[in-house]
Amino acid sequence: MIIPLLKLLSNNKNITAALFAAVMFILLSTSCGKENKEVVDVSFDPEKSYTMKALDISTLISDSGITRYRLNTKKWLVFEKAAEPHWYFPDGVYVEKFDTLFRAEASIKADTAYYYDKKGLWKLIGNVKVSSLAGERFETSLLFWDQRTEKVYSDKFIRIEQAERVITGIGFESNQSMTLYKIFNPQGVFPVSESRADSLEQDTVK
């Protein structure tokens, strides 16, 4: 059963502590290195002005003393004063889960990501790819994960690659472990080899 990797960012104290520690290190290093201070009168727009920023985060996270996860993101912005407080990952986020031999066994990747704190809602945008512990691969352009309802869903095109076949359709809903899911408007079921051949042909045409 796959552990929801994004849940680590919002619910796992180790990850949250690691991220905030990185941010505080950056802030303290910057402030301590400048003796001359200037006060600039700048208008503050809570919807556009972040309250915290961290760059080039790459960290390993332990669970019960064992390294289990790796988190990579180029930029992490926090808008805690916005009408709808949120975290923003404009350059994407990537999380990997390791087995006891430090081999990657599940992952989540997206070009852009948002986390809405009060709603407990993740929004992943652009080239969203999920590899589950069951060995299935999910690809879509938009994916939501609602922590409160423990559901993952999308109203966009979804591609699911299983061991022997590929399922495609529009609209998708799953439990957060990605083990029980349904496609609302199925478009087709294809053998894996046929699906890959079609992809190669399309790439050649482009």
Side-chain angles (χ1 to χ4, degrees):
M1 182 176 183
I2 184 173
I3 298 176
L5 299 183
L6 289 179
K7 190 171 186 178
L8 293 172
L9 284 173
S10 51
N11 286 357
N12 188 295
K13 295 181 180 179
N14 291 331
I15 288 186
T16 305
L19 291 175
F20 274 90
V23 173
M24 292 307 296
F25 176 80
I26 293 171
L27 294 178
L28 290 175
S29 298
T30 302
S31 61
C32 291
K34 295 181 179 180
E35 295 183 0
N36 297 325
K37 298 181 180 180
E38 296 182 0
V39 177
V40 181
D41 185 13
V42 179
S43 58
F44 179 78
D45 183 347
E47 302 301 323
K48 298 180 180 179
S49 302
Y50 53 81
T51 53
M52 189 173 292
K53 176 182 178 180
L55 300 175
D56 296 322
I57 297 174
S58 181
T59 184
L60 295 174
I61 299 95
S62 298
D63 184 7
S64 301
I66 302 175
T67 300
R68 290 294 193 186
Y69 308 95
R70 177 179 14 229
L71 168 70
N72 291 329
T73 184
K74 291 183 178 180
K75 185 182 294 184
W76 175 46
L77 306 175
V78 178
F79 293 81
E80 62 179 7
K81 300 298 182 181
E84 192 168 352
H86 61 279
W87 298 357
Y88 177 39
F89 301 86
D91 298 324
V93 64
Y94 177 73
V95 183
E96 253 181 345
K97 181 184 182 298
F98 301 112
D99 62 13
T100 55
L101 298 178
F102 205 65
R103 295 175 301 197
E105 59 180 2
S107 65
I108 293 177
K109 178 181 180 294
D111 289 345
T112 305
Y114 292 85
Y115 174 65
Y116 298 95
D117 189 24
K118 291 184 177 180
K119 292 182 177 180
L121 179 68
W122 279 95
K123 180 180 181 181
L124 304 175
I125 305 171
N127 295 312
V128 182
K129 297 181 180 181
V130 179
S131 295
S132 74
L133 290 175
E136 296 182 328
R137 298 180 182 180
F138 302 78
E139 297 181 11
T140 184
S141 61
L142 177 66
L143 193 70
F144 293 92
W145 175 51
D146 191 327
Q147 292 178 273
R148 295 181 180 179
T149 62
E150 299 186 347
K151 289 184 179 180
V152 177
Y153 59 92
S154 175
D155 60 357
K156 304 298 183 181
F157 175 83
I158 183 80
R159 179 182 185 276
I160 304 173
E161 183 174 331
Q162 301 174 340
E164 302 294 335
R165 63 179 184 174
V166 172
I167 306 171
T168 62
I170 306 295
F172 165 84
E173 184 177 285
S174 170
N175 61 348
Q176 63 182 9
S177 62
M178 307 293 277
T179 56
L180 298 173
Y181 52 80
K182 59 183 177 181
I183 297 177
F184 296 112
N185 297 294
Q187 291 187 334
V189 179
F190 313 95
V192 171
S193 57
E194 180 180 332
S195 176
R196 288 175 178 169
D198 290 343
S199 297
L200 290 174
E201 182 178 347
Q202 291 176 4
D203 290 341
T204 302
V205 173
K206 292 179 180 178

